[in-house]
Amino acid sequence: IILFSVVSIAQLLGSFISNSLALLGDSISMGIDTLTFCGNLYAECSVSRYRITIQLVASGVSLLALSLFTISVIVEAVDRLMYSDKCTVDPYIVLGFSFVGLCFDVICFIAYYYWGSDPFDPSAIDDGQQQQQQEEEEKEAKQNQQQQDPRGEGLEEEKGEQKQEPQEEEKLKLSGT
């Protein structure tokens, strides 16, 4: 969150210095994405019953804000195209941000390649996910067994019900009736 906020603020300052709408649009969208991530992270970590509502509101506000800022950048770009003598862009600042962004992306890609987890590797699953996976497999096995035994024999013990007949016979023998 901090990294994206710093990069977003740096791009915003760079966009004003270089007079670049591309940097302005990117910094605004990155800032909105960071705020949306914070809102969704808050919703995920909260124990409130309004978790889904908070997530939907954060995403909806993000969509609305991105749409409004995109429209405003497009209007400004059309205005600049119509009256091109109005302002010039410093290409070196834009190129510098592009180069730094590209280097950062390559570093992230390499780091993820070496230290990231493979979603298809079973050893990469944490204990909570393994336990959930085992419970699902057990549930499927019980459903398959129920489907294979149409008479329902042997299923009483699986359902948590114990046969009462032998215990009742022992009670009758002890009581003498």
Side-chain angles (χ1 to χ4, degrees):
I1 295 172
I2 294 170
L3 177 65
F4 275 89
S5 298
V6 168
V7 170
S8 181
I9 291 169
Q11 278 188 330
L12 186 65
L13 293 174
S15 71
F16 289 128
I17 293 169
S18 68
N19 207 16
S20 170
L21 285 177
L23 280 178
L24 178 66
D26 193 41
S27 68
I28 289 173
S29 67
M30 195 174 209
I32 291 171
D33 288 343
T34 304
L35 292 174
T36 303
F37 179 74
C38 290
N40 284 325
L41 186 63
Y42 170 76
E44 285 293 323
C45 294
S46 83
V47 292
S48 172
R49 62 182 177 159
Y50 300 111
R51 279 174 70 172
I52 294 174
T53 305
I54 295 170
Q55 289 174 339
L56 290 174
V57 167
S59 299
V61 169
S62 170
L63 182 63
L64 180 66
L66 283 171
S67 299
L68 292 175
F69 283 115
T70 300
I71 291 170
S72 69
V73 168
I74 289 172
V75 167
E76 179 65 24
V78 169
D79 186 45
R80 285 187 183 185
L81 287 173
M82 300 289 278
Y83 308 103
S84 62
D85 60 339
K86 189 165 129 178
C87 59
T88 58
V89 175
D90 185 356
Y92 297 109
I93 294 176
V94 177
L95 185 62
F97 273 101
S98 300
F99 181 73
V100 170
L102 183 64
C103 291
F104 180 75
D105 289 342
V106 168
I107 291 169
C108 287
F109 177 74
I110 291 170
Y112 183 75
Y113 179 77
Y114 284 108
W115 297 293
S117 64
D118 183 6
F120 300 109
D121 182 14
S123 65
I125 299 175
D126 68 357
D127 293 336
Q129 288 176 334
Q130 284 180 347
Q131 184 179 4
Q132 184 180 11
Q133 218 173 24
Q134 287 175 346
E135 290 172 0
E136 289 174 4
E137 288 172 0
E138 289 173 3
K139 194 179 210 181
E140 286 178 20
K142 285 181 182 180
Q143 288 176 351
N144 289 339
Q145 186 177 7
Q146 287 175 354
Q147 290 174 355
Q148 290 174 357
D149 193 0
R151 293 176 289 154
E153 293 180 4
L155 296 178
E156 290 85 9
E157 293 175 2
E158 287 181 14
K159 294 179 184 175
E161 300 173 5
Q162 296 179 355
K163 293 184 179 180
Q164 299 295 326
E165 296 170 7
Q167 292 175 356
E168 289 177 15
E169 289 177 13
E170 289 179 24
K171 287 180 185 178
L172 290 174
K173 287 180 186 176
L174 292 174
S175 65
T177 53

